[in-house]
Amino acid sequence: MKKSLENRIGAGYSFLAPAIIFYSIFFLFPVIFSLLVSFKKWNMLIPFTKAPFIGWKNFLDLLKDELFLMSLRNTLLYALLTVSITLTISLFYAIMINKAKFSVFWRFIYFAPVVTPQVAIATIWGYLYNPNNGLLNAILRFFGFKGLNWLTDPSTALFSIILTAIWAGIGGSMLIFTASLKNIPQEYYDAAKIDGATGFKEFWYITLPLLKPTLLFLSATGLIGAWQVFDLPYMLGRNAPAKSVMTVSWYTYETAFQYLRMGRASAGAFLLFVVIFVITLIVLWIFRKGGIKGYE
Amino acid sequence: MKKLLVPILILLLIFTSVSFGKTKLIFTVHWSDYQVEGVKDEKGNLVFKGLKQYVEEYMKTHPDVEIEIRSVAFDELLKKIIIDHTAGLPSDIYVLYSLWGVELVRSGILDEPSADVQNAVRLLFVKPAVEGATIDGKIWGVPIEVDNYALVYNKKLLASAGFKKPPRTWSELVSMAAKLTKRNPDGSVAYYGFAFLAGWDSAVVHPYLALLYSNSGEFLTKDFKECLLDRKEAIEALDAELELFRKGGTDTSASVWNFPAGKVAMMIMAPWYETSLKIGFKDKYAETVGVAPIPYLKKPATCGYTWFIGVDSASKNKKQAWDFIKWMTIQTMPNGATRMGELMAKNIGAIPPRRSDLDKFPDELNDLYTATFVKELIHTIQEPNVAQGQEIKTILMREIVEAWNGRKTAEQALKDAKKKIDEILKENY
């Protein structure tokens, strides 16, 4: 009996082994290694073992670096605005499309940006934002307004990038909302109608509470992704003053691979990890307050 | 079958022994396909040799050496050199931007050339290129490309505004740029009098350094212990740039990349941009493009940078690697030119840094575009080879862009740059 149990445990671990090995090599080891790097002054050009240990200096230097603090502020702003606005608009579109004819067609149209590479999106939006020949300024000027320096003016550059990110992100969230909406039983709405509920009350008391698990999932994954954002700000914001558009991932990349300050870059990556972890916990706490209701 | 097996095995043995007997060198560059493979016409005939043809020529005359060319994008080159070296699989030979040299030398990644190579470089190459390959007083490779900056202008746009000549001084440039900037009725800019490019460090820092040097200023002390950007000359130089913005000669949305579209009247550019201009203006190129020295504040000056070729200290075939480098860059062909000089002038479109190469390619180096850059070599001051050079350059770029955007005065921007740069210098010198 005991031997049979041991065999079964052994078999279990052997099935788990590929995943454990994979995660150990490609996740656990890099995480532990970069934590060690964050306490050293290392430029990758000398052996890691010869790099001097400098304690918390990398972390302290980061907290004194105005550019890092501004990149934290920019990333926070980017994350909060993109996630909240994207979710609001995509929920609105999902509800509209759910009731509309040709919903597959509309889903395809709104989902197209999600499968478009970010580099292509950045290039196209770069043309749209061109202050002299771009479409957006042409529209503004047509209505008698002054054109904007969308991507070079420090007061508009980050918001222009956020606008692009919202446009690019709506489709993905909308698709998940549409799937969740289809799962809400029609009986709830029928019963509410009998009780005299209007469209808004149906949304507020039935749709929204039952979409809470989806909202939790999209908020948590959206915030995690937004905190790690690199490509759009890097591609669109390079001509703007760095303090107005730089994100933490961009800062980390530049510090590591252009300045070869691997220790400081790793410290930045760890601070980013802590921030994402705390924010994810807060999101979980907010959504779980009062329980997450399912509908089955 | 058995009878065949023995000769096949013998042949295999000969083949493998020949292969194993060869010394294999890996040569990493950042050049594009045509620069490696050669420029070919529509029928596929070779018009200008690329690196590959020179390497093949070398391998023919040196059958014991096999050279593999690896080409990566410019942005990836430094990462590749570092990662390959760290992984114990270094390229034997690579080309390097001089700004990266200090970190590679201090970490022992670059092999020190022999005395004859160092002497040849000191003796045969132009001054800015020698300075580019010099780190802490020693030569660490052979310069292959020297770049400097000049004023590139659109002759037609200048003529249409009544200007017969390009500006000679900076104040002339400021006043001309304001007159050359034309707006559409809706307020958008149709033509820029002058263009910088805010997001590219070289396009921001190098023109500023040129202006600083022309104002008799200095960037860093000779011993790299202090940044001198808080001095009067430095502040005046940035203020001179800001005058262009204040007078409406440019703005932060202007871009040098719009010059080939005929939308920019003047810009400060490097020699390697010639091909893009020829492609952009097609048959109108010669009648449109003009080149002049950078308009100065007190005296003519321009900024330059260098690419040099070196050997990895972990290479197992250093002697063979240096022999190949000498064959490419120091030994001359029957016409008196070096092979690298020919490759630079005829294919890559850069100025060869060896003095004797400069008069060997008149069609390429004395044409309407490159001639001014070659003449300006005497006024060229090399970008300093300082530790954390890339970081210092980016810091300066960002502070200049802050001033361009009106978020800081010239004095405040340069004071902030100096503070950050001094911290880096203190860490390294």
Side-chain angles (χ1 to χ4, degrees):
Chain A
M1 181 67 187
K2 196 183 167 190
K3 196 167 184 186
S4 154
L5 186 66
E6 277 172 3
N7 283 344
R8 286 171 63 189
I9 289 170
Y13 277 115
S14 62
F15 281 120
L16 281 174
I20 291 171
I21 292 167
F22 181 86
Y23 275 99
S24 302
I25 294 172
F26 294 106
F27 180 74
L28 206 58
F29 171 73
V31 168
I32 294 168
F33 184 69
S34 66
L35 182 63
L36 293 174
V37 171
S38 69
F39 292 103
K40 288 203 167 208
K41 187 183 176 186
W42 187 49
N43 64 1
M44 282 206 305
L45 301 172
I46 53 167
F48 177 69
T49 47
K50 288 186 183 167
F53 178 83
I54 54 169
W56 293 96
K57 188 175 184 304
N58 285 323
F59 292 90
L60 296 173
D61 283 349
L62 272 181
L63 296 175
K64 280 191 285 181
D65 186 349
E66 194 193 355
L67 190 58
F68 178 73
L69 297 176
M70 290 304 283
S71 70
L72 265 178
R73 184 206 74 124
N74 293 337
T75 316
L76 175 69
L77 207 58
Y78 176 93
L80 291 178
L81 288 178
T82 44
V83 173
S84 58
I85 298 174
T86 303
L87 289 187
T88 309
I89 296 175
S90 56
L91 178 58
F92 175 74
Y93 281 172
I95 291 167
M96 292 293 119
I97 284 171
N98 210 27
K99 292 173 183 168
K101 284 182 181 173
F102 314 115
S103 65
V104 175
F105 170 74
W106 293 115
R107 278 208 297 267
F108 169 75
I109 292 289
Y110 285 108
F111 192 71
V114 179
V115 291
T116 309
Q118 296 275 300
V119 176
I121 290 173
T123 308
I124 291 163
W125 277 83
Y127 288 123
L128 295 178
Y129 284 133
N130 186 297
N132 295 311
N133 315 312
L135 180 68
L136 295 179
N137 272 359
I139 294 169
L140 284 179
R141 286 184 187 120
F142 180 77
F143 288 106
F145 295 105
K146 209 179 152 197
L148 298 172
N149 285 330
W150 297 90
L151 294 172
T152 50
D153 184 336
S155 58
T156 55
L158 184 63
F159 296 103
S160 306
I161 294 165
I162 289 171
L163 180 67
T164 308
I166 290 168
W167 174 84
I170 285 172
S173 309
M174 189 208 63
L175 202 71
I176 296 170
F177 275 131
T178 325
S180 302
L181 284 171
K182 283 193 186 305
N183 280 337
I184 299 177
Q186 184 58 35
E187 291 85 345
Y188 292 3
Y189 294 105
D190 294 341
K193 273 198 180 79
I194 292 166
D195 291 340
T198 58
F200 178 75
K201 283 190 173 171
E202 279 180 16
F203 169 76
W204 194 255
Y205 291 109
I206 300 171
T207 310
L208 203 57
L210 292 178
L211 284 179
K212 223 173 163 184
T214 311
L215 271 171
L216 169 65
F217 170 75
L218 288 174
S219 305
T221 52
L223 282 170
I224 290 168
W227 270 97
Q228 294 170 335
V229 68
F230 173 80
D231 33 22
L232 276 182
Y234 187 74
M235 295 277 301
L236 285 173
R238 288 173 86 168
N239 291 355
K243 280 180 199 162
S244 62
V245 287
M246 187 173 254
T247 60
V248 179
S249 295
W250 178 357
Y251 178 95
T252 308
Y253 167 81
E254 190 176 272
T255 307
F257 298 109
Q258 288 183 7
Y259 309 156
L260 304 178
R261 293 185 183 273
M262 302 308 291
R264 192 183 292 181
S266 297
F270 261 88
L271 285 179
L272 180 63
F273 168 76
V274 171
V275 171
I276 293 175
F277 186 70
V278 170
I279 286 180
T280 310
L281 286 181
I282 293 170
V283 171
L284 285 173
W285 177 74
I286 290 171
F287 276 89
R288 285 194 173 144
K289 224 166 74 173
I292 293 177
K293 289 169 191 163
Y295 36 81
E296 285 182 326
Chain B
M1 185 66 193
K2 275 184 185 173
K3 281 180 187 171
L4 270 175
L5 198 63
V6 176
I8 287 171
L9 280 174
I10 291 169
L11 275 174
L12 264 176
L13 195 67
I14 292 167
F15 175 75
T16 48
S17 63
V18 168
S19 301
F20 285 126
K22 280 188 176 182
T23 301
K24 186 169 180 179
L25 298 175
I26 295 169
F27 183 7
T28 299
V29 294
H30 65 291
W31 298 334
S32 36
D33 281 355
Y34 75 91
Q35 293 169 332
V36 173
E37 299 290 328
V39 179
K40 290 171 185 168
D41 63 13
E42 286 163 359
K43 289 175 186 166
N45 301 316
L46 191 68
V47 181
F48 296 119
K49 286 197 268 185
L51 178 63
K52 189 179 153 191
Q53 282 76 39
Y54 294 100
V55 163
E56 282 169 354
E57 185 191 337
Y58 186 79
M59 290 195 297
K60 257 186 205 165
T61 52
H62 299 76
D64 54 332
V65 177
E66 186 189 343
I67 300 174
E68 182 190 326
I69 302 167
R70 288 183 187 168
S71 185
V72 295
F74 167 72
D75 287 347
E76 299 300 316
L77 181 60
L78 181 62
K79 275 178 258 172
K80 177 149 180 65
I81 291 168
I82 293 169
I83 291 166
D84 286 356
H85 181 91
T86 312
L89 300 163
S91 296
D92 300 277
I93 305 166
Y94 32 73
V95 295
L96 278 176
Y97 174 29
S98 49
L99 201 66
W100 303 334
V102 181
E103 270 67 43
L104 297 182
V105 167
R106 287 188 168 190
S107 307
I109 289 187
L110 276 184
D111 184 49
E112 190 180 335
S114 59
D116 63 318
V117 172
Q118 293 196 40
N119 290 336
V121 170
R122 282 198 189 95
L123 204 67
L124 303 172
F125 288 75
V126 295
K127 191 172 164 255
V130 177
E131 285 168 359
T134 305
I135 293 152
D136 297 333
K138 278 183 191 168
I139 303 275
W140 287 91
V142 183
I144 57 165
E145 173 183 341
V146 61
D147 293 272
N148 55 2
Y149 289 84
L151 180 82
V152 179
Y153 61 95
N154 184 317
K155 288 190 253 186
K156 285 182 175 174
L157 291 181
L158 260 66
S160 68
F163 298 113
K164 288 178 184 160
K165 282 181 180 174
R168 212 168 48 87
T169 62
W170 191 260
S171 59
E172 283 175 24
L173 179 133
V174 171
S175 100
M176 282 172 71
K179 287 172 190 157
L180 285 160
T181 301
K182 307 274 183 218
R183 290 189 177 270
N184 293 315
D186 65 4
S188 61
V189 178
Y191 297 97
Y192 277 104
F194 186 88
F196 288 110
L197 180 60
W200 175 27
D201 53 6
S202 293
V204 177
V205 172
H206 291 162
Y208 169 70
L209 289 182
L211 216 51
L212 170 68
Y213 299 143
S214 95
N215 201 33
S216 306
E218 283 177 282
F219 179 20
L220 307 168
T221 53
K222 296 272 181 292
D223 58 6
F224 296 142
K225 287 194 185 289
E226 195 191 350
C227 171
L228 303 173
L229 289 177
D230 60 338
R231 295 209 174 159
K232 189 168 79 69
E233 294 82 7
I235 297 164
E236 281 172 0
L238 185 52
D239 242 341
E241 277 193 0
L242 297 185
E243 194 65 5
L244 257 177
F245 290 81
R246 286 193 284 260
K247 293 264 169 77
T250 191
D251 65 31
T252 51
S253 297
S255 166
V256 293
W257 304 135
N258 286 332
F259 189 94
K263 299 284 183 190
V264 172
M266 296 181 283
M267 64 174 178
I268 291 172
M269 191 33 92
W272 47 258
Y273 201 48
E274 186 179 13
T275 310
S276 302
L277 294 172
K278 283 181 176 168
I279 292 168
F281 289 111
K282 298 188 178 102
D283 54 338
K284 303 272 190 297
Y285 168 76
E287 61 195 75
T288 311
V289 176
V291 185
I294 296 180
Y296 56 87
L297 287 168
K298 287 180 187 158
K299 59 178 185 182
T302 184
C303 175
Y305 60 92
T306 300
W307 280 80
F308 65 86
I309 186 169
V311 172
D312 195 290
S313 61
S315 165
K316 287 174 185 152
N317 305 299
K318 287 181 209 165
K319 188 193 169 297
Q320 291 87 340
W322 281 114
D323 285 347
F324 171 71
I325 289 175
K326 283 192 254 182
W327 180 84
M328 273 299 278
T329 60
I330 294 171
Q331 289 172 29
T332 54
M333 298 182 289
N335 66 358
T338 64
R339 290 167 181 86
M340 189 60 89
E342 186 178 73
L343 177 65
M344 285 294 142
K346 285 187 176 284
N347 182 320
I348 293 181
I351 302 176
R354 185 164 156 157
R355 265 192 234 103
S356 61
D357 283 338
L358 291 174
D359 55 4
K360 297 290 184 307
F361 307 101
D363 289 349
E364 288 80 17
L365 301 180
N366 201 22
D367 64 4
L368 81 90
Y369 190 81
T370 317
T372 307
F373 291 94
V374 174
K375 281 182 200 146
E376 281 303 289
L377 282 174
I378 53 161
H379 295 132
T380 301
I381 298 171
Q382 165 72 21
E383 179 179 36
N385 278 343
V386 59
Q388 293 299 122
Q390 184 59 55
E391 190 175 3
I392 288 172
K393 191 174 174 183
T394 310
I395 287 170
L396 180 54
M397 172 189 76
R398 291 202 169 129
E399 292 300 337
I400 292 172
V401 172
E402 289 282 323
W404 285 358
N405 277 282
R407 284 154 59 105
K408 287 182 183 177
T409 62
E411 187 175 2
Q412 190 59 52
L414 293 174
K415 208 172 140 191
D416 290 349
K418 175 191 161 59
K419 192 180 161 204
K420 291 174 200 163
I421 292 168
D422 276 347
E423 280 173 24
I424 296 171
L425 296 177
K426 199 177 164 191
E427 199 183 329
N428 288 283
Y429 294 95

